Amino acid sequence: MSAREYDVIVIGAGPVGENVADRAVQRGLSAVIVEAELVGGECSYWACMPSKALLRSGAALRAAQAVDGAKQAVTGDLDVAAVLRRRDSMTHDWNDSSQVEWLQGAGIDLVRGYGALTGEKTVRVTADDGTTTDLVARHAVAVCTGSAALLPDIPGLAEVEPWTSREATSAQKIPASLAILGGGVVGAEMATAYASLGSAVTLVARSGLLANNEPFAGELVAASLSDLGATVKTGVDAVSARRTDAGLVAIELSNGTTVEAEEVLVATGRIPRTGGLGLETVGLEPDSWLDVDDTLLVRGTDWLYAVGDVNHRALLTHQGKYQARAAGDVIAARAQGTPVDDAPWGAHVATADHDAVPQVTFTDPEVASVGFTAASAEKAGRRIRVLDYDLSWIAGASEQSDSYKGQARAIVDEDRGTIIGATFVGPDVAELVHSATIAIVGEVPLTRLWHAVPSYPTVSEVWLRLLETYGRPTP
């Protein structure tokens, strides 16, 4: 049977793969997506959407409890069953029919099964029943297979069948106790969610909580977790794991103590989903992250693209979709012989991946950040000034909560007079980060930012306070 030909083959039908294919089709190319699981990918079913659904109910309850007049109306605890039902509705009960309909409406073909390269611009798809479909790309293959949870090499850990983020976000029952290994975004968010849902949580974070953020972020989140009844252990490692006679998981720590819990969640990092992808058939290292240039083209090739987590540039859904728009557009431009705009901040590059990546950690308080931290800016050799402001001093914060706790920091590049990083920690600060992102990407001078007047009384008034802390530059 002859192979099916398309202009572009996309392996992986998550948000990243969908956007690569959609942009290519909008620009006149034909595209097919290969998917072994659910169309919509990790974010829709096991990450962004279900995790935020698990977190939101607890955050809403605590927000009401923090305002006099509203707290008197709160008469009970969270309805755990209702929280789980709402989570299930967010994932469409792990049914991807609506996503498949979207592909059809967008003019993108779908082939179900595991896709693997068999050579340059060729992909073989193996379905669950063993049948195969051969695909040939006229112009490009885009690998959008994402990443998976890293299982650390801890004796006994694999044998206790630990949870990863997938099990944590799709659980149909809340365990009485949960041990979490890892203090990054997944560990911190799931600790918040499960403590809110009544689980006795112990979080083990060797390098501290949210170590890649400004130090005050981890400190404020750790304090909040403690208020929720969770235990946070930092500076210690898990050295072994086993199941007890009672069926609990026992985690031995490097300080000689042991943590026991009904389940253990491993949240210690990610690995690329490139195993079995056939990379060796095109001279690349199996099971590796794929190194790309700013147009998302795998270095050393003129046809293979790697977009999203799999290239290890910025492991975030929104950054993957941003990369996908650039990749789909540049694939079409190269296929049609039109000019490629690959200069920094051009139409066909993902320049923001380097120093302008926004992220929100949906703990309580939320952590919203973009660009450099003080430590990373100094490491990069920037001459900076750090601006700090207590968010509880903002009028809008006192209106929002009777016990608002939060902190803001902006990093100023003194040589250029622009902001290159910002971090906000506090209730509902997620919506603040885009203003900082615009200031950073637009390289807006501080002299001009003085004329961006924040509305009163809102938490965004922190922008004025940060500028006042810096002092108005003189012409």
Side-chain angles (χ1 to χ4, degrees):
M1 187 175 179
S2 62
R4 293 162 55 179
E5 287 192 4
Y6 293 88
D7 291 325
V8 184
I9 300 169
V10 178
I11 306 177
V16 175
E18 289 176 326
N19 274 272
V20 172
D22 187 42
R23 299 294 284 204
V25 168
Q26 287 185 34
R27 278 146 187 76
L29 302 187
S30 62
V32 62
I33 279 188
V34 178
E35 178 54 57
E37 295 185 292
L38 296 175
V39 175
E42 197 79 9
C43 179
S44 298
Y45 304 105
W46 299 287
C48 320
M49 298 305 293
S51 66
K52 304 314 168 281
L54 290 175
L55 286 156
R56 179 56 189 158
S57 298
L61 176 62
R62 288 187 292 276
Q65 291 171 333
V67 178
D68 200 17
K71 67 182 179 182
Q72 288 82 357
V74 179
T75 58
D77 297 324
L78 286 179
D79 184 328
V80 174
V83 173
L84 296 181
R85 284 197 304 272
R86 183 172 185 267
R87 184 273 320 272
D88 292 350
S89 72
M90 291 290 179
T91 64
H92 299 279
D93 292 309
W94 292 272
N95 182 300
D96 66 357
S97 58
S98 63
Q99 297 272 17
V100 172
E101 288 176 10
W102 179 86
L103 285 183
Q104 294 169 343
I108 302 165
D109 284 357
L110 170 66
V111 177
R112 299 271 193 183
Y114 289 85
L117 295 164
T118 54
E120 183 173 326
K121 299 181 185 176
T122 60
V123 173
R124 174 163 292 171
V125 184
T126 304
D128 288 342
D129 63 4
T131 59
T132 60
T133 302
D134 287 329
L135 304 173
V136 174
R138 299 184 189 95
H139 299 290
V141 175
V143 176
C144 308
T145 49
S147 63
L150 168 69
L151 188 66
D153 187 18
I154 297 172
L157 184 60
E159 287 72 25
V160 303
E161 298 180 337
W163 281 5
T164 67
S165 54
R166 283 198 167 199
E167 287 76 22
T169 56
S170 62
Q172 295 299 317
K173 174 180 174 294
I174 302 302
S177 53
L178 177 66
I180 300 175
L181 304 183
V185 172
V186 172
E189 287 190 346
M190 290 299 96
T192 303
Y194 275 82
S196 300
L197 295 168
S199 191
V201 172
T202 302
L203 188 150
V204 179
R206 177 184 61 187
S207 302
L209 203 61
L210 301 177
N212 292 330
N213 290 88
E214 298 286 7
F216 61 81
E219 293 165 4
L220 286 167
V221 172
S224 175
L225 285 173
S226 180
D227 290 342
L228 287 174
T231 300
V232 179
K233 296 178 178 289
T234 60
V236 292
D237 280 327
V239 296
S240 68
R242 60 181 175 83
R243 284 279 179 184
T244 69
D245 292 340
L248 299 177
V249 179
I251 306 292
E252 182 184 351
L253 303 180
S254 56
N255 61 3
T257 63
T258 300
V259 174
E260 290 191 355
E262 188 175 319
E263 300 289 353
V264 57
L265 164 61
V266 176
T268 53
R270 308 288 292 179
I271 58 174
R273 281 187 173 167
T274 53
L277 194 60
L279 295 181
E280 66 280 0
T281 68
V282 293
L284 297 172
E285 188 71 25
D287 298 298
S288 64
W289 301 103
L290 295 174
D291 184 33
V292 299
D293 64 19
D294 272 6
T295 67
L296 295 313
L297 184 68
V298 174
R299 297 185 194 277
T301 78
D302 63 1
W303 59 275
L304 184 62
Y305 293 76
V307 193
D309 281 14
V310 76
N311 62 36
H312 208 229
R313 286 165 65 100
L315 278 66
L316 297 161
T317 296
H318 48 274
Q319 290 300 123
K321 291 165 70 174
Y322 161 70
Q323 293 174 15
R325 292 189 288 271
D329 288 352
V330 79
I331 288 169
R334 286 170 173 155
Q336 296 163 349
T338 56
V340 171
D341 183 5
D342 59 0
W345 306 110
H348 298 132
V349 292
T351 308
D353 284 349
H354 300 297
D355 298 325
V357 176
Q359 181 171 15
V360 177
T361 303
F362 289 88
T363 44
D364 192 358
E366 293 174 345
V367 179
S369 62
V370 59
F372 287 98
T373 62
S376 66
E378 289 174 352
K379 185 177 179 180
R382 301 294 188 99
R383 190 172 70 89
I384 63 169
R385 182 174 169 190
V386 177
L387 311 177
D388 286 321
Y389 201 82
D390 188 327
L391 282 173
S392 69
W393 299 343
I394 303 292
S398 60
E399 290 283 5
Q400 182 169 332
S401 170
D402 296 340
S403 54
Y404 197 104
K405 293 180 181 177
Q407 184 71 30
R409 171 172 288 182
I411 311 299
V412 177
D413 184 321
E414 289 284 74
D415 293 321
R416 304 192 67 184
T418 60
I419 290 174
I420 58 172
T423 298
F424 307 97
V425 182
D428 297 325
V429 295
E431 302 303 334
L432 277 177
V433 74
H434 194 57
S435 54
T437 304
I438 292 170
I440 292 169
V441 171
E443 299 179 339
V444 182
L446 293 183
T447 51
R448 178 59 64 87
L449 278 181
W450 273 94
H451 298 281
V453 183
S455 301
Y456 182 89
T458 65
V459 179
S460 63
E461 193 186 7
V462 68
W463 279 106
L464 173 59
R465 303 309 174 198
L466 289 169
L467 289 167
E468 289 176 334
T469 301
Y470 185 85
R472 187 159 191 165
T474 54

